Amino acid sequence: MSSTNDVALELAGGGAAEGTVVVADHQTAGRGRLGRGWWSQPGGSLIASWVLRPALPPDRWPFLTLVAGVALCDALLVVSGVKATLKWPNDVLIGEAKCAGILAEARPPGAVVIGLGVNVSGHVPADAAEGATSIVGAGAEAPRRSDLLAEVLRAFGAFMPNPASVLPRYRELSATLGTRVRAQRAGGGSLTGSATDVDEGGALLIDAGGEIVRVTAGEIIHLRTYD
Amino acid sequence: MPDVEAEMVANVWKVLVSPGQAVSAGETLVILESMKMEIPVESPVDGTVSAVNVEEGGVVQEGDIIATID
């Protein structure tokens, strides 16, 4: 399959119902955010996308990517005992290495597709991405991919009646809050400060020398003390 | 002469059309990005792009006019 998001978007365009799930063993044209590639290994990754028809105004849709991140972290804990954390907005980390990515795409007028790629087992090539790992690479036992997917969808679905209810859990799982970060600002330049909170819109609040700046897009870099 | 408005605050990831270009209803004009969600903005009508008011790498606020289709 080229990409589960592409197939799910096509199905959504054809009227597929909420909850339609597309699963692949691996992808030939996996996509990460902003057109980046997403590598997967036959048998070694969980690759899935699902269709939503949210009863939310479109400006609330991006918040669903935070819900997906929490659902995936909680599912990893239940299925594999792995304590994963979230780098804002929804990179799933084990330690400081990324083990899963989430790519959400809207399909106007009313559908959203949420896709995820989880490195479950096997070897992550050195050139796949800087700081990448897998569940097995982090020392945990490989879960059955179907068990992991079922738990992700269950956890995600449990938050859907009230997506904002995910925020307390999101804050607990955040690897970003409390750290110094650099945010790339759209339109150029960057901003450095302390990540203080995530608001009800999902935006990251950064205290930059006493001024609180609300960041909704772009890349965040976690700074270490020596940066 | 429909104006195409941004429905949310977002980064402008891709601009796929330029003024003078013919577009069909449902064709993607611009792709926005917010919190790792990619949001295509589509033309509401068949027509010709008369103005594009955003640039790749820029930011739109809710209600900003992204493009105008004649």
Side-chain angles (χ1 to χ4, degrees), chain A residues 86-112:
Chain A
L86 289 168
K87 175 172 175 271
W88 186 89
N90 60 16
D91 279 348
V92 177
L93 308 182
I94 302 176
E96 291 183 7
K98 180 170 170 173
C99 76
I102 292 166
L103 175 65
E105 295 180 78
R107 176 75 174 74
V112 169

Side-chain angles (χ1 to χ4, degrees), chain B residues 4 14-17 23 27-31 40-44 49 66-67 69:
Chain B
V4 182
K14 279 194 174 166
V15 176
L16 303 174
V17 296
V23 292
E27 187 170 337
T28 302
L29 306 172
V30 167
I31 304 177
V41 177
E42 301 180 342
S43 177
V49 178
I66 291 174
I69 313 295

Side-chain angles (χ1 to χ4, degrees), chain A residues 32-35 58-59 61-63 65-66 88-91 98 102-108 112 186-187 201-203 216-218, chain B residues 6-14 26 28 30-42 55-62:
Chain A
R33 192 168 71 103
L34 305 185
D59 66 334
W61 291 355
F63 188 82
T65 71
L66 277 66
W88 186 89
N90 60 16
D91 279 348
K98 180 170 170 173
I102 292 166
L103 175 65
E105 295 180 78
R107 176 75 174 74
V112 169
T216 58
Chain B
E7 291 182 312
M8 65 193 82
V9 181
N11 282 354
V12 179
W13 176 40
K14 279 194 174 166
T28 302
V30 167
I31 304 177
L32 306 178
E33 187 262 332
S34 176
M35 290 186 281
K36 298 207 176 178
M37 180 175 286
E38 294 174 11
I39 304 131
V41 177
E42 301 180 342
E55 290 181 353
E56 291 184 5
V59 177
V60 290
Q61 304 295 325
E62 190 175 346

Side-chain angles (χ1 to χ4, degrees), chain A residues 132-209:
Chain A
T133 190
S134 67
I135 297 173
V136 169
E141 208 160 299
R144 281 180 52 188
R145 292 177 291 166
S146 54
D147 290 348
L148 182 58
L149 176 59
E151 187 57 29
V152 170
L153 295 173
R154 191 205 61 73
F156 186 87
F159 285 116
M160 277 308 280
N162 178 13
S165 67
V166 85
L167 264 179
R169 183 63 179 145
Y170 184 90
R171 292 181 179 121
E172 285 174 6
L173 291 168
S174 177
T176 300
L177 294 180
T179 67
R180 280 184 68 72
V181 297
R182 182 181 301 131
Q184 304 296 329
R185 307 204 79 174
S190 69
L191 165 81
T192 301
S194 174
T196 57
D197 201 4
V198 172
D199 72 12
E200 71 288 347
L204 183 65
L205 304 184
I206 298 176
D207 181 342

Side-chain angles (χ1 to χ4, degrees), chain A residues 2-35:
Chain A
S2 57
S3 137
T4 55
N5 262 38
D6 286 346
V7 173
L9 285 165
E10 200 178 317
L11 292 171
E18 169 149 305
T20 302
V21 180
V22 178
V23 188
D25 179 60
H26 68 288
Q27 306 177 109
T28 55
R31 287 182 294 117
R33 192 168 71 103
L34 305 185

Side-chain angles (χ1 to χ4, degrees), chain A residues 116-142:
Chain A
L116 56 84
V118 185
N119 300 330
V120 173
S121 60
H123 168 68
V124 178
D127 61 353
E130 199 182 333
T133 190
S134 67
I135 297 173
V136 169
E141 208 160 299

